Amino acid sequence: MDHLNQSLKGHLIVSCQALPDEPLHSSFIMGRMARAAAEGGAKGIRANTCEDIAEIRKNVDLPIIGIIKRDYPNSGVYITPTMKEIDELMTVRPEIIALDATGAVRPDGRTLDEFYHDIRRKYPEQPLMADCSTVEEALHADALGFDFIGTTLVGYTEQSRGDKIEKDDFAIIRAILEQVHHPVIAEGNINTPAKARRVIELGCYSVVVGSIITRPQVITRTFTAEMEKLG
């Protein structure tokens, strides 16, 4: 954990991800995207799938937050949802593994508490990040002992629907920071440099920025949507 404290604290982590239905879906492209992020000053990468992580490792020497997004029938949990995904990620050993830390039952029927303890028993030294959607979930993940608390899922779950991470000067982040003991990584809709700077000013350990840096179709849409207002 010491090397993570030195390399990530107060810095930018860039999320380099492209799902199968996106134009840039390619491990090769994500590797080059990570290299571009590093050249721009990023100090960490968040990446999806073992293939992408392995390719990114060839391109940059930066800590990686690794996840596997996988859909299971009848389950809303898709970020590193079961031990199968944990085992796969451990073959490429990302510095941090992130997983859904909401209260939803995992696809295999495990609760978050059960899943967390299963991981700790099998991989006791592996740093873990909790992807949360509410203050209550963040507090629970903190009490469980996650090494990092993330705001990744704010606004993306039923219990947080309509919430905005940046609303009222990042009120959700400020509430989490006031109550948890583990480092908080801000993530989710942080789409300007000023917002990234602000969450660090508030006391976040680091900040993850994704779409506004690494998804050209999303960036382009912000321009076209503004221009369409001309009628």
Side-chain angles (χ1 to χ4, degrees), residues 4 7 51 72 77 96 120 138 158 171 179 199 203 208 216 230:
L4 290 177
S7 61
E51 294 78 12
Y72 283 85
V77 177
I96 302 168
R120 287 301 195 203
E158 193 59 43
Q179 300 176 73
V199 296
V208 176
L230 294 172

Side-chain angles (χ1 to χ4, degrees), residues 50-126:
C50 295
E51 294 78 12
D52 282 9
I53 292 169
E55 183 63 28
I56 288 168
R57 285 232 191 274
K58 297 176 186 176
N59 284 270
V60 299
D61 184 20
L62 294 176
I64 295 173
I65 299 174
I67 64 171
I68 292 178
K69 290 181 176 177
R70 186 167 288 155
D71 292 320
Y72 283 85
N74 304 314
S75 176
V77 177
Y78 64 93
I79 299 176
T80 320
T82 73
M83 188 60 76
K84 173 179 169 59
E85 288 76 36
I86 296 288
D87 289 340
E88 289 175 21
L89 285 167
M90 288 303 293
T91 66
V92 290
R93 294 192 172 274
E95 281 72 17
I96 302 168
I97 289 178
L99 58 132
D100 181 308
T102 68
V105 175
R106 315 293 108 171
D108 56 6
R110 313 288 286 169
T111 64
L112 173 63
D113 293 39
E114 292 171 327
F115 187 33
Y116 173 83
H117 292 302
D118 286 347
I119 298 169
R120 287 301 195 203
R121 278 191 292 269
K122 193 167 186 179
Y123 303 111
E125 303 302 318
Q126 174 62 44

